[in-house]
mmCIF file of all heavy atoms in Angstrom:
data_model
loop_
_atom_site.group_PDB
_atom_site.id
_atom_site.type_symbol
_atom_site.label_atom_id
_atom_site.label_comp_id
_atom_site.label_asym_id
_atom_site.label_seq_id
_atom_site.Cartn_x
_atom_site.Cartn_y
_atom_site.Cartn_z
ATOM 1 N N SER A 846 132.767 -10.140 112.899
ATOM 2 C CA SER A 846 133.215 -11.224 112.026
ATOM 3 C C SER A 846 132.496 -11.210 110.684
ATOM 4 O O SER A 846 132.985 -11.777 109.712
ATOM 5 C CB SER A 846 133.008 -12.577 112.715
ATOM 6 O OG SER A 846 131.639 -12.762 113.040
ATOM 7 N N TRP A 847 131.319 -10.549 110.643
ATOM 8 C CA TRP A 847 130.600 -10.471 109.371
ATOM 9 C C TRP A 847 131.432 -9.758 108.317
ATOM 10 O O TRP A 847 131.285 -10.012 107.115
ATOM 11 C CB TRP A 847 129.256 -9.763 109.559
ATOM 12 C CG TRP A 847 129.351 -8.380 110.122
ATOM 13 C CD1 TRP A 847 129.373 -8.032 111.437
ATOM 14 C CD2 TRP A 847 129.453 -7.167 109.388
ATOM 15 N NE1 TRP A 847 129.488 -6.671 111.568
ATOM 16 C CE2 TRP A 847 129.531 -6.113 110.329
ATOM 17 C CE3 TRP A 847 129.481 -6.864 108.035
ATOM 18 C CZ2 TRP A 847 129.642 -4.784 109.953
ATOM 19 C CZ3 TRP A 847 129.590 -5.534 107.652
ATOM 20 C CH2 TRP A 847 129.667 -4.515 108.608
ATOM 21 N N SER A 880 130.246 -6.887 122.307
ATOM 22 C CA SER A 880 129.398 -7.064 121.132
ATOM 23 C C SER A 880 128.189 -6.142 121.126
ATOM 24 O O SER A 880 127.732 -5.712 120.067
ATOM 25 C CB SER A 880 128.935 -8.521 121.037
ATOM 26 O OG SER A 880 128.180 -8.877 122.185
ATOM 27 N N PRO A 974 120.059 0.796 117.477
ATOM 28 C CA PRO A 974 120.772 0.914 118.756
ATOM 29 C C PRO A 974 121.766 2.062 118.799
ATOM 30 O O PRO A 974 122.072 2.582 119.867
ATOM 31 C CB PRO A 974 121.474 -0.439 118.893
ATOM 32 C CG PRO A 974 121.582 -0.952 117.495
ATOM 33 C CD PRO A 974 120.377 -0.449 116.777
ATOM 34 N N ILE A 980 123.636 1.526 109.131
ATOM 35 C CA ILE A 980 122.403 1.331 109.897
ATOM 36 C C ILE A 980 121.391 2.418 109.559
ATOM 37 O O ILE A 980 120.198 2.149 109.363
ATOM 38 C CB ILE A 980 122.709 1.322 111.410
ATOM 39 C CG1 ILE A 980 123.505 0.064 111.766
ATOM 40 C CG2 ILE A 980 121.421 1.384 112.227
ATOM 41 C CD1 ILE A 980 123.902 -0.016 113.220
ATOM 42 N N CYS A 1030 115.835 -5.335 113.819
ATOM 43 C CA CYS A 1030 117.028 -4.678 114.357
ATOM 44 C C CYS A 1030 118.154 -4.845 113.349
ATOM 45 O O CYS A 1030 118.612 -5.964 113.092
ATOM 46 C CB CYS A 1030 117.423 -5.275 115.704
ATOM 47 S SG CYS A 1030 118.863 -4.464 116.442
ATOM 48 N N ALA A 1031 118.593 -3.725 112.775
ATOM 49 C CA ALA A 1031 119.593 -3.780 111.706
ATOM 50 C C ALA A 1031 120.968 -4.184 112.217
ATOM 51 O O ALA A 1031 121.788 -4.685 111.453
ATOM 52 C CB ALA A 1031 119.680 -2.423 111.005
ATOM 53 N N GLU A 1032 121.238 -3.953 113.499
ATOM 54 C CA GLU A 1032 122.549 -4.296 114.058
ATOM 55 C C GLU A 1032 122.448 -5.679 114.691
ATOM 56 O O GLU A 1032 121.744 -5.882 115.670
ATOM 57 C CB GLU A 1032 122.966 -3.254 115.096
ATOM 58 C CG GLU A 1032 124.467 -3.073 115.233
ATOM 59 C CD GLU A 1032 125.152 -4.263 115.882
ATOM 60 O OE1 GLU A 1032 124.635 -4.762 116.897
ATOM 61 O OE2 GLU A 1032 126.203 -4.695 115.374
ATOM 62 N N GLU A 1033 123.155 -6.613 114.119
ATOM 63 C CA GLU A 1033 122.956 -8.017 114.462
ATOM 64 C C GLU A 1033 123.315 -8.353 115.906
ATOM 65 O O GLU A 1033 122.609 -9.109 116.577
ATOM 66 C CB GLU A 1033 123.765 -8.887 113.507
ATOM 67 C CG GLU A 1033 123.534 -10.360 113.702
ATOM 68 C CD GLU A 1033 124.057 -11.153 112.528
ATOM 69 O OE1 GLU A 1033 123.404 -11.147 111.482
ATOM 70 O OE2 GLU A 1033 125.120 -11.751 112.677
ATOM 71 N N ASN A 1034 124.408 -7.808 116.409
ATOM 72 C CA ASN A 1034 124.813 -8.126 117.775
ATOM 73 C C ASN A 1034 123.779 -7.639 118.786
ATOM 74 O O ASN A 1034 123.503 -8.309 119.785
ATOM 75 C CB ASN A 1034 126.177 -7.498 118.078
ATOM 76 C CG ASN A 1034 127.282 -8.118 117.243
ATOM 77 O OD1 ASN A 1034 127.432 -9.324 117.203
ATOM 78 N ND2 ASN A 1034 128.043 -7.281 116.562
ATOM 79 N N PHE A 1035 123.196 -6.472 118.524
ATOM 80 C CA PHE A 1035 122.161 -5.969 119.418
ATOM 81 C C PHE A 1035 120.895 -6.813 119.303
ATOM 82 O O PHE A 1035 120.182 -7.016 120.287
ATOM 83 C CB PHE A 1035 121.852 -4.504 119.108
ATOM 84 C CG PHE A 1035 121.124 -3.796 120.216
ATOM 85 C CD1 PHE A 1035 121.820 -3.241 121.277
ATOM 86 C CD2 PHE A 1035 119.742 -3.698 120.213
ATOM 87 C CE1 PHE A 1035 121.151 -2.598 122.315
ATOM 88 C CE2 PHE A 1035 119.066 -3.057 121.240
ATOM 89 C CZ PHE A 1035 119.774 -2.505 122.299
ATOM 90 N N ALA A 1036 120.626 -7.324 118.098
ATOM 91 C CA ALA A 1036 119.471 -8.202 117.921
ATOM 92 C C ALA A 1036 119.621 -9.464 118.769
ATOM 93 O O ALA A 1036 118.654 -9.948 119.369
ATOM 94 C CB ALA A 1036 119.311 -8.568 116.446
ATOM 95 N N VAL A 1037 120.832 -9.996 118.829
ATOM 96 C CA VAL A 1037 121.092 -11.173 119.662
ATOM 97 C C VAL A 1037 120.857 -10.840 121.135
ATOM 98 O O VAL A 1037 120.225 -11.606 121.879
ATOM 99 C CB VAL A 1037 122.533 -11.680 119.444
ATOM 100 C CG1 VAL A 1037 122.897 -12.742 120.479
ATOM 101 C CG2 VAL A 1037 122.680 -12.241 118.038
ATOM 102 N N ALA A 1038 121.349 -9.668 121.576
ATOM 103 C CA ALA A 1038 121.150 -9.246 122.965
ATOM 104 C C ALA A 1038 119.662 -9.073 123.271
ATOM 105 O O ALA A 1038 119.191 -9.430 124.361
ATOM 106 C CB ALA A 1038 121.908 -7.950 123.232
ATOM 107 N N LEU A 1039 118.907 -8.542 122.304
ATOM 108 C CA LEU A 1039 117.458 -8.394 122.487
ATOM 109 C C LEU A 1039 116.789 -9.757 122.642
ATOM 110 O O LEU A 1039 115.929 -9.951 123.514
ATOM 111 C CB LEU A 1039 116.846 -7.663 121.292
ATOM 112 C CG LEU A 1039 116.894 -6.141 121.267
ATOM 113 C CD1 LEU A 1039 116.155 -5.627 120.039
ATOM 114 C CD2 LEU A 1039 116.289 -5.552 122.532
ATOM 115 N N ALA A 1058 116.635 -10.129 112.539
ATOM 116 C CA ALA A 1058 117.970 -9.534 112.658
ATOM 117 C C ALA A 1058 118.518 -9.169 111.286
ATOM 118 O O ALA A 1058 118.146 -9.765 110.271
ATOM 119 C CB ALA A 1058 118.923 -10.508 113.356
ATOM 120 N N GLY A 1059 119.420 -8.199 111.268
ATOM 121 C CA GLY A 1059 120.065 -7.804 110.026
ATOM 122 C C GLY A 1059 121.276 -8.665 109.726
ATOM 123 O O GLY A 1059 121.899 -9.215 110.629
ATOM 124 N N TRP A 1060 121.606 -8.810 108.449
ATOM 125 C CA TRP A 1060 122.811 -9.460 107.926
ATOM 126 C C TRP A 1060 122.769 -10.980 107.978
ATOM 127 O O TRP A 1060 123.160 -11.640 107.043
ATOM 128 C CB TRP A 1060 124.081 -8.962 108.630
ATOM 129 C CG TRP A 1060 124.248 -7.483 108.573
ATOM 130 C CD1 TRP A 1060 124.240 -6.615 109.618
ATOM 131 C CD2 TRP A 1060 124.421 -6.672 107.406
ATOM 132 N NE1 TRP A 1060 124.403 -5.321 109.185
ATOM 133 C CE2 TRP A 1060 124.523 -5.336 107.820
ATOM 134 C CE3 TRP A 1060 124.501 -6.957 106.049
ATOM 135 C CZ2 TRP A 1060 124.692 -4.286 106.932
ATOM 136 C CZ3 TRP A 1060 124.670 -5.905 105.168
ATOM 137 C CH2 TRP A 1060 124.768 -4.597 105.613
ATOM 138 N N GLY A 1061 122.332 -11.585 109.078
ATOM 139 C CA GLY A 1061 122.233 -13.040 109.113
ATOM 140 C C GLY A 1061 123.565 -13.747 109.176
ATOM 141 O O GLY A 1061 123.744 -14.822 108.607
ATOM 142 N N THR A 1062 124.533 -13.154 109.855
ATOM 143 C CA THR A 1062 125.841 -13.792 110.016
ATOM 144 C C THR A 1062 126.132 -13.925 111.503
ATOM 145 O O THR A 1062 125.373 -13.477 112.356
ATOM 146 C CB THR A 1062 126.947 -12.953 109.359
ATOM 147 O OG1 THR A 1062 126.990 -11.668 109.997
ATOM 148 C CG2 THR A 1062 126.685 -12.754 107.880
ATOM 149 N N GLY A 1063 127.239 -14.526 111.826
ATOM 150 C CA GLY A 1063 127.697 -14.570 113.205
ATOM 151 C C GLY A 1063 126.745 -15.263 114.152
ATOM 152 O O GLY A 1063 126.110 -16.273 113.839
ATOM 153 N N GLU A 1064 126.605 -14.690 115.349
ATOM 154 C CA GLU A 1064 125.866 -15.321 116.429
ATOM 155 C C GLU A 1064 124.383 -15.462 116.116
ATOM 156 O O GLU A 1064 123.743 -16.441 116.509
ATOM 157 C CB GLU A 1064 126.057 -14.512 117.718
ATOM 158 C CG GLU A 1064 125.497 -15.168 118.968
ATOM 159 C CD GLU A 1064 126.187 -16.483 119.313
ATOM 160 O OE1 GLU A 1064 127.319 -16.707 118.832
ATOM 161 O OE2 GLU A 1064 125.593 -17.281 120.054
ATOM 162 N N ALA A 1065 123.802 -14.485 115.407
ATOM 163 C CA ALA A 1065 122.382 -14.571 115.058
ATOM 164 C C ALA A 1065 122.109 -15.813 114.221
ATOM 165 O O ALA A 1065 121.108 -16.513 114.421
ATOM 166 C CB ALA A 1065 121.947 -13.318 114.307
ATOM 167 N N ALA A 1066 122.991 -16.101 113.285
ATOM 168 C CA ALA A 1066 122.826 -17.293 112.454
ATOM 169 C C ALA A 1066 122.993 -18.559 113.286
ATOM 170 O O ALA A 1066 122.257 -19.535 113.116
ATOM 171 C CB ALA A 1066 123.830 -17.270 111.307
ATOM 172 N N LEU A 1070 118.178 -17.370 114.554
ATOM 173 C CA LEU A 1070 117.213 -16.274 114.507
ATOM 174 C C LEU A 1070 116.791 -15.999 113.066
ATOM 175 O O LEU A 1070 117.554 -16.216 112.124
ATOM 176 C CB LEU A 1070 117.821 -14.999 115.098
ATOM 177 C CG LEU A 1070 118.309 -15.042 116.548
ATOM 178 C CD1 LEU A 1070 118.714 -13.644 116.996
ATOM 179 C CD2 LEU A 1070 117.253 -15.619 117.468
ATOM 180 N N SER A 1072 116.380 -13.751 109.974
ATOM 181 C CA SER A 1072 117.312 -12.692 109.596
ATOM 182 C C SER A 1072 117.126 -12.279 108.148
ATOM 183 O O SER A 1072 116.663 -13.052 107.309
ATOM 184 C CB SER A 1072 118.761 -13.147 109.816
ATOM 185 O OG SER A 1072 119.020 -14.336 109.094
ATOM 186 N N LEU A 1073 117.467 -11.033 107.910
ATOM 187 C CA LEU A 1073 117.519 -10.495 106.564
ATOM 188 C C LEU A 1073 118.963 -10.640 106.115
ATOM 189 O O LEU A 1073 119.840 -9.912 106.565
ATOM 190 C CB LEU A 1073 117.090 -9.028 106.578
ATOM 191 C CG LEU A 1073 116.876 -8.359 105.225
ATOM 192 C CD1 LEU A 1073 115.727 -9.013 104.473
ATOM 193 C CD2 LEU A 1073 116.603 -6.873 105.414
ATOM 194 N N LYS A 1074 119.209 -11.598 105.261
ATOM 195 C CA LYS A 1074 120.588 -11.948 104.922
ATOM 196 C C LYS A 1074 121.016 -11.273 103.626
ATOM 197 O O LYS A 1074 120.208 -11.039 102.734
ATOM 198 C CB LYS A 1074 120.731 -13.465 104.781
ATOM 199 C CG LYS A 1074 120.362 -14.239 106.031
ATOM 200 C CD LYS A 1074 120.603 -15.719 105.872
ATOM 201 C CE LYS A 1074 122.085 -16.035 105.842
ATOM 202 N NZ LYS A 1074 122.327 -17.499 105.888
#
Side-chain angles (χ1 to χ4, degrees):
S846 59
W847 58 272
S880 61
I980 291 178
C1030 182
E1032 209 290 315
E1033 185 165 284
N1034 294 308
F1035 197 84
V1037 170
L1039 277 184
W1060 305 116
T1062 61
E1064 188 64 20
L1070 301 187
S1072 57
L1073 189 64
K1074 301 184 71 172

